[in-house]
Amino acid sequence: MSTEGTFNELVHEPIRLRICGLLRAVDELDFAVLRDTLGISDAALSKHLKVLVTAGFVSSKKIASSTRTDARRLTWLRLTGDGRGVFDDHIRALRQIATGVDIFTL
Amino acid sequence: MENNLPSGRPDQRNNAAILLSSLESDRACLAKRLREPRWFAPGLGALAALFISTPALPESFNRGFVLTSLVMMSIFLVLGYQRVTGIKLLGFRLCEGALFALAIVTTLFCFSVSLGLAAGGFPWWIMASVIAGFLAATGLALLGASSMRGRVSNVD
């Protein structure tokens, strides 16, 4: 893991960055909680999650919900080990940018 | 949203600062959700109180069944809390582990007091150790929940 921070274009997209930020704070998070905290639609969240899952940064787990009568399942999301590493690196890069340090200095 | 570098430009620094700030406010919202199930801490306190009261049960009562039931109810309480909040925090930090250990020790101490009172022929005084155990367990659970909220909102 670089101490200088590594900028990641995929994670840098604002919604995806916020998704990773929320998942980084917990072990697992419910899809509905993530959607409500971000203030976006199910479809929009699913689209961004698909990108993150495909990249191997987020994993999902669906379980049956006894509180639902419509047989829908709960979806628990978590940041993978790779996702944590990439996100932490990206945050370091963002902090360097925010403080005015040029991370591309050779 | 800009995602290009180099970083020397003020608008880039400003954008990065805005992104970092949005992450902090998201986590603050998440931490607030952990405060919502107000039944959680008193629920744990009630389960501790039930355990402390078991020496007052008649001899014919199946204490093993009661204790197993209390353990199961504790598990369901935690699972219910996770389901309601939509957040899973696995494992304890040092502070939370210490609070959990202290809650166990306090409950066991109150239980031993109840045993002594029951053996000494003062069953009604068990109520005092039950109330003390309830208050201690509830207070420690509230402190543990506060630590968890801090963990969620202050991620490096």
Side-chain angles (χ1 to χ4, degrees), chain A residues 1-8 11-12 17 20-21 24 81-104, chain B residues 5 7 12-13 16-17 19-20 23 27 155-156:
Chain A
M1 195 179 297
S2 167
T3 57
E4 295 295 320
T6 306
F7 195 89
N8 186 290
V11 168
H12 187 64
L17 184 68
C20 292
R24 185 65 177 91
D82 284 347
R84 283 173 191 260
V86 165
F87 176 74
D88 289 348
D89 267 349
H90 186 76
I91 289 299
R92 269 192 286 274
L94 277 184
R95 284 183 179 146
Q96 287 166 345
I97 294 169
T99 55
V101 174
D102 185 351
I103 68 171
F104 283 124
Chain B
L5 297 171
S7 59
Q12 296 292 335
R13 288 202 296 273
L19 285 172
L20 290 169
L23 294 181
R27 286 174 188 153
V155 178
D156 288 333

Side-chain angles (χ1 to χ4, degrees), chain A residues 2 4 8 14 17-19 21 28-29 31 36 49 51 55 59 71 74 86 91 98 106:
Chain A
S2 167
E4 295 295 320
N8 186 290
L17 184 68
R18 292 174 67 196
I19 290 171
E28 291 183 3
L29 196 61
F31 179 95
D36 294 343
L49 283 174
V51 172
S59 64
L74 292 175
V86 165
I91 289 299
L106 295 176

Side-chain angles (χ1 to χ4, degrees), chain A residues 7-48:
Chain A
F7 195 89
N8 186 290
E9 293 285 346
L10 189 146
V11 168
H12 187 64
E13 199 285 330
I15 295 293
R16 290 198 283 270
L17 184 68
R18 292 174 67 196
I19 290 171
C20 292
L22 286 165
L23 293 178
R24 185 65 177 91
V26 301
D27 291 288
E28 291 183 3
L29 196 61
D30 181 28
F31 179 95
V33 171
L34 191 56
R35 178 201 62 210
D36 294 343
T37 306
L38 293 171
I40 60 176
S41 66
D42 283 358
L45 179 56
S46 295
K47 183 187 84 174
H48 288 292

Side-chain angles (χ1 to χ4, degrees), chain B residues 114-126:
Chain B
S114 293
L115 278 174
L117 289 169
F122 304 106
W124 285 106
W125 281 98
I126 290 176

Side-chain angles (χ1 to χ4, degrees), chain B residues 95-96 99 138-148:
Chain B
C95 168
E96 292 153 22
L99 288 169
T138 301
L140 290 168
L142 285 171
L143 286 174
S146 174
S147 174
M148 282 163 53

Side-chain angles (χ1 to χ4, degrees), chain B:
Chain B
M1 177 72 70
E2 289 280 351
N3 58 8
N4 295 323
L5 297 171
S7 59
R9 294 166 46 193
D11 57 334
Q12 296 292 335
R13 288 202 296 273
N14 196 42
N15 288 341
I18 289 171
L19 285 172
L20 290 169
S21 174
S22 72
L23 294 181
E24 282 183 20
S25 66
D26 283 344
R27 286 174 188 153
C29 283
L30 208 58
K32 271 188 198 169
R33 289 191 71 93
L34 289 171
R35 193 190 297 272
E36 285 311 307
R38 298 189 186 274
W39 42 259
F40 182 65
L44 287 177
L47 291 174
L50 282 171
F51 172 69
I52 293 164
S53 69
T54 51
L57 294 173
E59 287 292 331
S60 58
F61 229 86
N62 187 341
R63 292 206 169 108
F65 173 76
V66 172
L67 292 175
T68 303
S69 300
L70 288 175
V71 170
M72 294 302 297
M73 282 193 276
S74 301
I75 293 170
F76 283 130
L77 193 65
V78 170
L79 290 176
Y81 181 77
Q82 290 177 341
R83 185 62 63 89
V84 167
T85 59
I87 297 168
K88 284 186 184 177
L89 288 172
L90 303 175
F92 287 139
R93 297 291 166 88
L94 184 62
C95 168
E96 292 153 22
L99 288 169
F100 178 71
L102 187 58
I104 295 292
V105 166
T106 307
T107 302
L108 288 174
F109 174 76
C110 291
F111 177 74
S112 68
V113 169
S114 293
L115 278 174
L117 289 169
F122 304 106
W124 285 106
W125 281 98
I126 290 176
M127 186 61 66
S129 63
V130 167
I131 291 171
F134 170 78
L135 292 173
T138 301
L140 290 168
L142 285 171
L143 286 174
S146 174
S147 174
M148 282 163 53
R149 285 196 299 277
R151 198 206 306 186
V152 168
S153 52
N154 298 317
V155 178
D156 288 333

